Amino acid sequence: MARLEEVPLGERRMMETLDCTGFEDRRPWVTGPALNRRRVALVSTAALNLRSDAVYAREETGFRVIPGNVDAGDVVMTHSSVNFDRTGFQQDLNVCFPLQRLHEMAAAGEIGSVANFHFTVSGGRPPLDLEDSARAIARTMRADGVDTVLLVPI
Amino acid sequence: MPFELGRPLGVPNDAEFQKRVLRAAFALLDAERGPLLIDYAEDVPQSSSPESDAEAMNGMVCAVDFPALPDATAPTSEIGIALMKEIAALAPWYAVAVADRGRTTVGPSGLPVIEAGKYLAAFLENQSAPCPRDDMPAASVLKLAYEDLKAYYTEAITMQPGFATSKRVEDWLFRESVLGTALWRLRAICRANEDQPYGYLGRNSVVPDRQINPAN
């Protein structure tokens, strides 16, 4: 996550006032296997979607699926915000969606494996608005054997 | 992270840098308790400063300047004509970018870039201009069209020397290019339109905040 002082004023105010209550009784701390036995999936808030999939609508709370073997040329970004850099993404998908890096780390034995499916949402919505999407994503991840999720905010 | 918004892994096309970020994130899994808020110490390499970018651009122009194409549907407004010429002039750089990167991020509008430019130019003259797609709201098509134009421009310009930083690219787009002029004009038109969703576009989704309020 970028440092708050680097965030444009409008986004900064939104983040500072974002309602993040409702998670007080959750148990966020869990343990897992060693890193070289973990199966890793990505979740990005960059509103990435496949060219063949629907673009993100403004204020949408749905999600999109990015296959683990996707060709980077098939991934586009349809986030509504104009207040973050896209030139890095244009030059290298991995700068915001490090799928190729995960495959390299799996090949090197640093992580166990890479999930078959990865997911994106469009950031900027109150977290609880995304609950249905989060639960649907989690169900698929469980079926895919995923035990580690890398949350990559844009 | 000390990285700018939009680059959570820090540096494009630097696999080792990106892996160091990932390893630092995975290392958090070894913590015995949390939550944790850990500052990542490594900053991105300073490959270029805005000043050196500007110096590098001295005397440089786009390699090709196409004449206006004989096109019956071409814009007739001054800004529309200039936009078509600018799009054509960037074409060879865009081709180089696609060849170099093996991909493009242009395309979500479903319109060829030249048609996206025509729609933007037409909208600037007449907000009731026919929308080139009928399967989604016109404002959504407009947004996707100008985002495709921005992607086309920025993919092309980042192949040229002197555009190493995203701020330099953004400044060029919004302060030096015809498209930037068109987008500032679009912002004003949309802001004057109180109807959703054009009003939203004008207030939030055409020109970046740091171009509107550089001090922030």
Side-chain angles (χ1 to χ4, degrees):
Chain A
M1 186 65 214
R3 290 173 177 153
L4 205 54
E5 63 265 28
E6 299 296 327
V7 177
L9 186 60
E11 267 72 11
R12 198 184 317 160
R13 286 178 175 154
M14 184 272 290
M15 290 178 181
E16 289 171 340
T17 58
L18 195 63
D19 182 6
C20 292
T21 58
F23 301 92
E24 291 81 359
D25 297 328
R26 311 297 172 89
R27 184 172 67 92
W29 207 254
V30 296
T31 58
L35 183 59
N36 63 5
R37 289 192 287 121
R38 287 177 180 262
R39 184 166 175 80
V40 183
L42 294 172
V43 174
S44 163
T45 60
L48 302 168
N49 57 268
L50 295 177
R51 286 186 187 277
S52 56
D53 204 347
V55 300
Y56 275 93
R58 182 167 65 89
E59 299 188 342
E60 182 180 330
T61 57
F63 66 91
R64 302 289 185 275
V65 181
I66 306 293
N69 61 352
V70 73
D71 183 318
D74 290 335
V75 180
V76 293
M77 181 185 288
T78 55
H79 204 295
S80 63
S81 175
V82 294
N83 287 319
F84 62 83
D85 170 62
R86 299 186 188 211
T87 63
F89 158 69
Q90 291 165 1
Q91 295 168 58
D92 178 11
L93 174 62
N94 290 285
V95 83
C96 65
F97 198 74
L99 186 56
Q100 188 180 356
R101 297 292 89 81
L102 290 185
H103 281 298
E104 291 165 358
M105 294 175 79
E110 291 187 69
I111 62 174
S113 60
V114 182
N116 287 331
F117 301 103
H118 307 265
F119 301 87
T120 77
V121 296
S122 184
R125 302 297 305 157
L128 288 175
D129 288 0
L130 295 166
E131 181 172 354
D132 289 346
S133 286
R135 292 191 181 281
I137 290 169
R139 280 194 295 273
T140 305
M141 286 181 174
R142 278 189 164 183
D144 193 14
V146 170
D147 55 20
T148 302
V149 180
L150 197 60
L151 304 173
V152 190
I154 195 68
Chain B
M1 296 293 188
F3 315 142
E4 67 177 306
L5 277 182
R7 299 184 175 198
L9 274 291
V11 184
N13 298 314
D14 189 335
E16 288 310 310
F17 189 101
Q18 294 171 0
K19 284 181 187 173
R20 287 197 293 275
V21 175
L22 289 173
R23 289 181 186 118
F26 285 133
L28 300 176
L29 296 170
D30 295 330
E32 295 180 353
R33 64 181 63 85
L36 297 170
L37 184 60
I38 304 294
D39 208 19
Y40 187 75
E42 183 181 10
D43 206 343
V44 299
Q46 295 299 311
S47 60
S48 179
S49 68
E51 291 73 20
S52 63
D53 280 345
E55 289 168 5
M57 280 303 292
N58 283 341
M60 294 197 66
V61 294
C62 289
V64 178
D65 188 7
F66 287 110
L69 299 172
D71 180 352
T73 64
T76 55
S77 66
E78 184 178 349
I79 195 167
I81 293 169
L83 186 62
M84 293 299 105
K85 286 190 68 174
E86 192 173 65
I87 290 170
L90 286 168
W93 289 106
Y94 176 72
V96 171
V98 174
D100 181 72
R101 296 164 186 160
R103 64 189 266 267
T104 179
T105 65
V106 175
S109 74
L111 303 174
V113 167
I114 202 77
E115 296 303 318
K118 287 180 184 177
Y119 183 44
L120 175 58
F123 188 88
L124 294 178
E125 299 304 308
N126 173 14
Q127 287 76 65
S128 299
C131 177
R133 289 180 60 169
D134 59 7
D135 58 340
M136 65 172 66
S140 299
V141 177
L142 180 66
K143 165 74 173 169
L144 292 170
Y146 68 71
E147 290 297 344
D148 269 351
L149 286 165
K150 286 166 58 183
Y152 171 85
Y153 272 61
T154 54
E155 287 184 23
I157 205 67
T158 51
M159 290 307 299
Q160 299 186 30
F163 290 90
T165 67
S166 65
K167 182 65 163 55
R168 172 69 187 113
V169 173
E170 189 182 282
D171 287 345
W172 166 78
L173 185 71
F174 285 97
R175 298 180 184 280
E176 300 173 33
S177 74
V178 176
L179 176 61
T181 302
L183 291 172
W184 281 103
R185 196 173 295 180
L186 175 67
R187 176 177 181 265
I189 291 170
C190 288
R191 280 169 61 85
N193 187 335
E194 294 183 357
D195 294 338
Q196 290 281 16
Y198 290 107
Y200 173 86
L201 287 181
R203 289 189 300 275
N204 301 288
S205 202
V206 179
V207 179
D209 287 353
R210 67 179 176 179
Q211 292 294 324
I212 300 166
N213 301 301
N216 293 331

